[in-house]
């Protein structure tokens, strides 16, 4: 906070509207420097805040004097600590246990709710003290870091801050600038100012304020006013202050800016207000922070590894796919990429045949009445591509389940047909915001290994077991480990509680029989049924949500689906199990590309065999060898480029990640053989063409992950 008041006073002469001040150029590198004086809105906002804070502090002191009473605070080990309401803070309790614990605690959890360490406790409660390793503590740590960066952004750019949330790895802040933009040249100045703010140990202060007062406080910033008018439905909400920054925020935060030990600003981009292309363009700056420098070094190393594995780069380098502005979010799969795509679908298709699934084909376009019946139109129509045909509204399907309900319902059904397992690789379209589109991980056009199991209530347990065994078989082939979470009935649920209890019990039994470790996420299910969430872990330790197993009690009700039960009741409702294992094929290709780093296992590889002739006299034989492998169903090429040496051709094939390189010279030509080596330069020696074809096909059929070693 040192120097803040003098800066703020100096800012009085400045125009009190953010985003319009032309940014001052920094010397040398073309980056920005801190504005001098600051924009006037900083001072005006702070003056208002100080008056409100004084009133709040007086009220809190009065409450502490008059309303305070002895309370019991229960720690995770069951131990109880004596405290006083409206006086004792979680930080004081942490200090009472040990100063080391207090120093390493990022945030408190009071009655299962995250809570500022310096906010007084209000009554008897449970208390947990969370360190950085805890996911909720990381989110708070990065949220506080976003406020530090937001303060620096206001002081350097003078723009209007918008949203600044924590994300999976770090945080970002969006800012509106009337003129100019953000450049990576600015990062150094931003980081330097952030470090100065951290050194000042500015306290994070929480204040609850009336909505109309906040509209006055943030009148300079139309975006904050929009948030207040459109998102805040209560008479009051909270702001947090650190130094000269006061921002709309639910919190909580770390105790002070000095708790952030190391920070890096690493990326910027443009976006739109709330991701809508017809709204204002904003500047987004990304950062990351940690409690020690070693963790930042490890993160930087990880980023380099992830960058080298980026599916967009590998997709371009290996000529797998591309995107075009004339069809945003819809991927063009080139021949090699299409091979991977089709191989994945055929893999799942072959598993379907073993597991009693029946593949169906359903329309792409439906009348909106279907989506009204399913409930999607009321909640999801903005994300659908819709259009008018003969005065009726139609839409491209974003999911398959309503179409499968029509299939189930097109004739009377008997208990003898259940479980009915319908699988569909139909093309789906979702109108994702253009700013959210990211390579293959977020697209508008995609296909899923989507299936819906229509079953009786008592069949749930066995069907869930089968779904879990199915996903384990698939993930074993890819080499993925995974973790499982059971998400149970939320507060706002539809249906009979007894039906929920029975279904959840069957899911628990299935998970226990499955034999893998699982965790409970109480209250995190969908309103229409409990679910099992599955996250796979890739080669560099990242988790991805792909598979889903979701029970649905409501869609059968909405479509009035029934079957004739054993006892002749023709009004018996089925349960629907929504399940996917790959999820979207596009997203799975992105994950697999990065998991393998472009080194595809033989069965999935679009470049399985490269035939390399020793010299021009062997070119014709090399072509014949290539054709043998091609005719056998292997992805084979031949390199007869006269401008390359033998060693160069072999090296090129290895760099291009051909699984096997077959060298042919006069000796091989005379004996009808090939000389085999792998992309990792393991030499397997001379074999006949027939033996080599047979062995490669065997390795391909078995979907070996280490075919090059096992050959």
């Amino acid at each position: 906070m040192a120097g803040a008041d003098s800066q703020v006073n100096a800012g009085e002469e400045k125009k009190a509207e953010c985003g319009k001040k032309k940014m001052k150029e920094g010397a040398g590198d073309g980056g920005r420097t801190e504005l001098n004086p600051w924009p006037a809105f900083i001072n005006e906002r702070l003056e208002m805040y100080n008056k409100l804070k004084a009133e709040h502090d007086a009220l809190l002191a009065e409450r502490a004097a008059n309303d305070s009473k002895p309370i019991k605070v229960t720690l995770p080990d069951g131990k109880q600590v004596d405290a006083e309401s409206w006086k004792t803070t979680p930080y004081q309790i942490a200090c009472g246990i040990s100063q080391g614990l207090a120093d390493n605690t990022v945030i408190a959890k009071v009655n299962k709710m995250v809570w500022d360490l310096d906010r007084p406790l209000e009554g008897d409660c449970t208390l947990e003290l969370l360190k950085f390793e805890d996911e909720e503590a990381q989110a708070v740590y990065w949220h506080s870091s976003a406020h530090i960066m937001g303060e620096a952004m206001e002081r350097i750019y003078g723009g209007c801050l918008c949203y600044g949330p924590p994300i999976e790895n770090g945080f970002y802040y969006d800012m509106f600038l009337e003129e100019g933009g953000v450049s990576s040249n600015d990062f150094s100045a931003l980081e330097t100012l952030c470090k100065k703010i951290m050194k000042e140990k500015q306290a994070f202060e929480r204040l609850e304020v009336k909505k109309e007062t906040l509209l006055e406080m943030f009148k300079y910033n139309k975006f904050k006013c929009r948030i207040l008018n459109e998102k805040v439905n209560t008479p009051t909400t909270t702001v947090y202050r650190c130094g000269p920054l006061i921002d709309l925020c639910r919190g909580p935060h770390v105790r002070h800016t000095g708790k952030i030990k190391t920070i890096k600003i690493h990326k910027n981009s443009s976006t739109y207000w709330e991701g809508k292309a017809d709204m204002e363009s904003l500047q987004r700056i990304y950062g990351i922070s940690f409690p020690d420098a070693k963790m930042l070094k490890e993160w930087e190393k990880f980023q380099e590894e992830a960058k080298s594995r980026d599916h967009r780069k590998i997709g371009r380098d290996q000529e797998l796919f591309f995107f075009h502005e004339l069809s945003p979010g819809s991927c063009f799969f080139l021949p090699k990429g299409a091979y991977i795509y089709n191989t994945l679908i055929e893999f799942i298709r072959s598993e379907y045949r073993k597991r009693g699934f029946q593949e169906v084909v359903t329309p792409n376009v439906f009348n909106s009445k279907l989506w009204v019946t399913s409930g999607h139109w009321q909640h999801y129509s903005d994300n659908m591509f819709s259009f008018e045909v003969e005065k009726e509204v139609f839409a491209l399907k974003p999911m398959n389940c309503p179409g499968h309900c029509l299939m189930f319902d097109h004739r009377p059904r008997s208990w003898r047909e259940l479980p009915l397992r319908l699988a569909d690789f139909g093309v789906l379209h979702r109108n994702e915001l253009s700013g959210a589109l990211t390579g293959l991980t977020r697209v508008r056009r995609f296909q899923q290994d989507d299936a819906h199991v229509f079953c009786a209530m008592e069949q749930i347990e066995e069907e869930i077991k089968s779904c879990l065994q199915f996903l384990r078989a698939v993930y074993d082939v890819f080499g993925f480990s995974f973790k499982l979470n059971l998400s149970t009935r939320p507060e706002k649920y539809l249906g009979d509680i007894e039906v929920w209890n029975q279904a959840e019990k069957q899911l628990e039994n299935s998970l226990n029989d499955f034999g893998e470790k699982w965790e409970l996420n109480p209250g995190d299910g969908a309103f229409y049924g409990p679910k099992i969430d599955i996250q796979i872990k890739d080669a560099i330790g990242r988790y991805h949500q792909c598979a889903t197993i979701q029970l649905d009690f409501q869609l059968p009700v909405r479509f009035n689906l029934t079957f004739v039960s054993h006892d002749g009741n023709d009004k018996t409702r089925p349960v629907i199990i929504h399940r996917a294992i790959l999820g979207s094929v596009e997203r799975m290709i992105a994950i697999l590309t990065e998991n393998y780093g472009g080194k595809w296992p033989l069965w999935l590889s679009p470049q399985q065999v490269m035939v390399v002739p020793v010299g021009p006299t062997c070119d014709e034989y090399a072509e014949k060898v290539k054709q043998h492998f091609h005719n056998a169903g292997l992805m084979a090429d031949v390199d007869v480029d006269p401008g390359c040496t033998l060693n160069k051709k072999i090296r090129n094939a290895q760099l291009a990640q051909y699984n096997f390189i077959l060298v042919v010279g006069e000796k091989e030509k005379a004996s009808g053989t090939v000389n085999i080596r792998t992309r990792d330069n393991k030499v397997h020696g001379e074999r006949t063409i027939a033996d080599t074809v047979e062995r490669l096909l065997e390795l391909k059929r078995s979907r070996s992950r280490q075919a090059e070693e096992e050959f």
Side-chain angles (χ1 to χ4, degrees):
M1 245 323 266
D5 291 331
S6 60
Q7 265 283 16
V8 205
N9 293 333
E12 285 178 15
E13 302 164 16
K14 223 167 182 181
K15 195 169 183 182
E17 194 170 343
C18 64
K20 292 196 175 178
K21 178 69 186 174
K22 190 160 184 178
M23 289 160 291
K24 193 174 175 183
E25 298 292 343
D29 65 358
R32 309 294 178 185
T33 58
E34 187 172 358
L35 296 167
N36 187 14
W38 293 345
F41 70 78
I42 293 180
N43 181 52
E44 292 162 5
R45 187 178 64 193
L46 196 55
E47 281 181 1
M48 268 192 88
Y49 175 88
N50 284 335
K51 286 177 191 168
L52 294 164
K53 183 70 166 63
E55 292 168 13
H56 171 267
D57 288 350
L59 189 66
L60 193 62
E62 186 183 334
R63 190 171 270 170
N66 301 330
D67 300 341
S68 182
K69 60 183 182 182
I71 59 171
K72 294 285 185 188
V73 179
T74 306
L75 301 177
D77 62 2
K79 184 184 173 187
Q80 288 197 326
V81 177
D82 292 323
E84 293 181 83
S85 64
W86 303 106
K87 288 183 181 177
T88 309
T89 66
Y91 180 70
Q92 289 168 342
I93 291 175
C95 288
I97 298 169
S98 86
Q99 190 60 46
L101 173 65
D103 291 343
N104 288 318
T105 298
V106 171
I107 202 71
K109 222 173 170 185
V110 175
N111 293 334
K112 303 292 182 187
M113 299 271 291
V114 279
W115 190 275
D116 295 287
L117 281 167
D118 288 328
R119 182 179 169 189
L121 300 168
E122 297 172 7
D124 291 341
C125 60
T126 59
L127 174 66
E128 297 168 72
L129 300 167
L130 308 183
K131 296 182 180 179
F132 182 78
E133 292 70 31
D134 185 280
E135 278 186 22
E136 286 180 285
Q138 282 179 16
V140 169
Y141 196 89
W142 287 331
H143 189 186
S144 300
S145 304
H147 278 239
I148 291 170
M149 187 173 75
E151 179 186 331
M153 287 164 69
E154 279 195 344
R155 289 165 62 171
I156 285 176
Y157 298 100
C160 283
L161 290 178
C162 301
Y163 288 113
I167 51 177
E168 188 178 356
N169 277 295
F171 52 90
Y172 69 76
Y173 228 124
D174 289 342
M175 174 176 264
F176 174 73
L177 294 172
E178 196 80 41
E179 302 169 14
V182 172
S183 157
S184 56
N185 291 334
D186 306 341
F187 293 178
S188 175
L190 276 166
E191 265 183 40
T192 300
L193 185 48
C194 285
K195 286 169 184 172
K196 182 182 171 190
I197 292 164
M198 286 148 54
K199 197 173 177 183
E200 289 171 2
K201 297 186 178 179
Q202 300 171 358
F204 276 94
E205 298 172 351
R206 177 184 184 271
L207 195 59
E208 194 168 328
V209 185
K210 288 179 182 174
K211 183 172 168 177
E212 57 266 30
T213 307
L214 290 174
L215 285 166
E216 176 63 23
M217 182 183 282
F218 291 104
K219 65 184 179 184
Y220 67 91
N221 184 331
K222 62 184 176 184
F223 302 96
K224 298 294 180 188
C225 291
R226 275 182 207 165
I227 294 169
L228 284 162
N229 287 321
E230 296 168 17
K231 312 280 186 192
V232 177
N233 302 315
T234 50
T236 63
T237 191
T238 51
V239 292
Y240 274 78
R241 174 190 178 181
C242 62
L245 176 73
I246 295 129
D247 203 3
L248 278 179
C249 182
R250 280 194 290 265
H253 284 282
V254 298
R255 294 186 66 232
H256 57 74
T257 56
K259 288 290 175 185
I260 311 303
K261 299 300 183 187
T262 179
I263 195 165
K264 183 177 180 68
I265 291 162
H266 61 90
K267 190 170 74 169
N268 69 290
S269 64
S270 293
T271 186
Y272 294 107
W273 171 252
E274 296 192 334
K276 297 171 184 171
D278 57 346
M279 300 300 279
E280 294 90 348
S281 180
L282 308 175
Q283 301 294 308
R284 177 171 293 179
I285 303 177
Y286 291 87
I288 188 88
S289 60
F290 292 100
D292 72 59
K294 186 182 172 189
M295 293 171 84
L296 179 60
K297 287 281 182 208
E298 287 170 359
W299 178 85
E300 286 172 332
K301 187 179 174 186
F302 178 85
Q303 293 310 301
E304 284 303 311
E305 176 67 21
K307 191 176 175 184
S308 71
R309 290 170 176 261
D310 190 315
H311 73 277
R312 291 163 294 189
K313 177 183 181 296
I314 291 169
R316 186 172 58 248
D317 293 348
Q318 294 189 353
E319 293 193 15
L320 303 178
F321 56 82
F322 69 92
F323 289 88
H324 197 284
E325 62 187 13
L326 293 179
S327 187
S330 301
C331 187
F332 291 76
F333 281 94
L334 295 161
K336 290 173 184 173
Y339 175 82
I340 296 169
Y341 203 104
N342 293 332
T343 303
L344 285 172
I345 287 178
E346 192 46 52
F347 172 32
I348 299 297
R349 192 171 267 145
S350 68
E351 291 294 322
Y352 281 157
R353 284 191 280 272
K354 295 178 198 170
R355 297 169 190 275
F357 285 80
Q358 301 174 78
E359 193 174 336
V360 297
V361 178
T362 49
N364 279 351
V365 178
F366 287 92
N367 191 300
S368 61
K369 290 170 186 170
L370 175 81
W371 310 107
V372 171
T373 301
S374 71
H376 291 102
W377 197 256
Q378 297 85 316
H379 302 289
Y380 202 74
S381 57
D382 286 350
N383 296 89
M384 295 167 70
F385 289 101
S386 55
F387 45 89
E388 197 172 291
V389 180
E390 297 176 349
K391 298 185 180 177
E392 295 265 12
V393 177
F394 284 76
L396 290 172
K397 66 177 176 184
M399 66 276 296
N400 289 309
C401 34
H404 291 182
C405 288
L406 295 184
M407 279 192 157
F408 184 91
D409 196 41
H410 92 284
R411 65 167 175 78
R413 298 284 179 180
S414 159
W415 62 272
R416 291 183 179 86
E417 297 177 75
L418 303 187
L420 179 65
R421 307 180 188 98
L422 301 181
D424 197 330
F425 292 108
V427 174
L428 305 175
H429 286 85
R430 293 182 185 174
N431 189 10
E432 300 283 0
L433 297 166
S434 58
L437 300 174
T438 315
L440 288 174
T441 58
R442 197 77 176 266
V443 290
R444 287 177 173 166
R445 183 266 183 215
F446 60 100
Q447 288 170 250
Q448 291 182 316
D449 62 328
D450 200 12
H452 296 94
V453 180
F454 296 82
C455 66
M457 193 72 191
E458 62 272 15
Q459 294 172 323
I460 290 173
E461 190 172 324
E462 280 307 310
E463 285 306 301
I464 297 298
K465 280 183 199 170
S466 298
C467 288
L468 291 168
Q469 286 157 4
F470 192 168
L471 76 87
R472 176 155 57 194
V474 170
Y475 290 161
D476 279 353
V477 167
F478 295 136
F480 289 136
S481 60
F482 54 88
K483 58 183 182 182
L484 303 159
N485 290 285
L486 172 59
S487 299
T488 55
R489 186 180 68 249
E491 276 186 42
K492 294 181 180 177
Y493 68 93
L494 293 178
D496 182 353
I497 194 164
E498 282 308 312
V499 170
W500 276 84
N501 290 342
Q502 189 184 342
E504 286 176 2
K505 184 63 184 164
Q506 290 191 66
L507 290 183
E508 277 191 41
N509 292 343
S510 302
L511 284 165
N512 289 334
D513 286 354
F514 185 50
E516 299 283 346
K517 184 184 169 191
W518 61 277
E519 290 182 9
L520 187 65
N521 274 349
D524 206 35
F527 69 89
Y528 49 84
K531 61 177 178 170
I532 297 171
D533 289 315
I534 302 100
Q535 288 187 306
I536 57 174
K537 187 178 182 182
D538 72 11
I540 55 173
R542 297 174 299 187
Y543 280 96
H544 308 271
Q545 173 85 43
C546 296
T548 185
I549 301 170
Q550 168 78 61
L551 290 195
D552 192 337
F553 309 129
Q554 289 307 306
L555 220 48
V557 174
R558 297 190 75 102
F559 280 92
N560 196 26
L561 304 182
T562 59
F563 67 93
V564 181
S565 64
H566 295 79
D567 57 8
N569 180 1
D570 63 357
K571 301 295 182 194
T572 311
R573 289 256 185 255
V575 176
I576 296 176
I577 302 172
H578 305 256
R579 54 104 278 158
I581 293 172
L582 302 181
S584 103
V585 180
E586 281 76 359
R587 187 160 178 271
M588 180 54 82
I589 288 175
I591 292 166
L592 290 169
T593 305
E594 296 185 4
N595 180 66
Y596 298 132
K599 290 183 78 166
W600 298 97
L602 178 73
W603 71 276
L604 201 49
S605 175
Q607 301 177 130
Q608 293 165 339
V609 174
M610 173 62 86
V611 184
V612 178
V614 169
T617 59
C618 301
D619 285 359
E620 189 180 337
Y621 177 64
E623 293 279 8
K624 285 178 182 174
V625 170
K626 177 250 176 182
Q627 199 59 42
H628 267 288
F629 285 89
H630 176 81
N631 292 346
L634 291 157
M635 298 292 281
D637 292 304
V638 61
D639 186 348
V640 290
D641 182 352
C644 280
T645 64
L646 174 62
N647 285 340
K648 178 71 172 164
K649 287 178 183 178
I650 292 170
R651 186 67 184 137
N652 286 345
Q654 289 172 335
L655 291 172
Q657 300 304 336
Y658 280 87
N659 302 74
F660 291 89
I661 296 112
L662 312 181
V663 179
V664 293
E666 294 297 339
K667 182 186 170 193
E668 288 79 16
K669 181 177 168 183
S671 57
T673 58
V674 291
N675 207 299
I676 305 155
R677 67 177 66 206
T678 72
R679 59 188 169 195
D680 295 318
N681 221 25
K682 179 161 185 171
V683 178
H684 288 292
E686 198 175 345
R687 297 256 192 123
T688 66
I689 294 171
D691 283 352
T692 308
V693 166
E694 186 182 342
R695 182 62 181 141
L696 291 184
L697 288 176
E698 190 182 318
L699 289 165
K700 184 183 171 186
R701 276 192 299 271
S702 69
R703 300 191 180 92
S704 164
R705 296 205 304 272
Q706 302 293 337
E708 298 80 14
E709 293 296 315
E710 292 173 19
F711 184 87

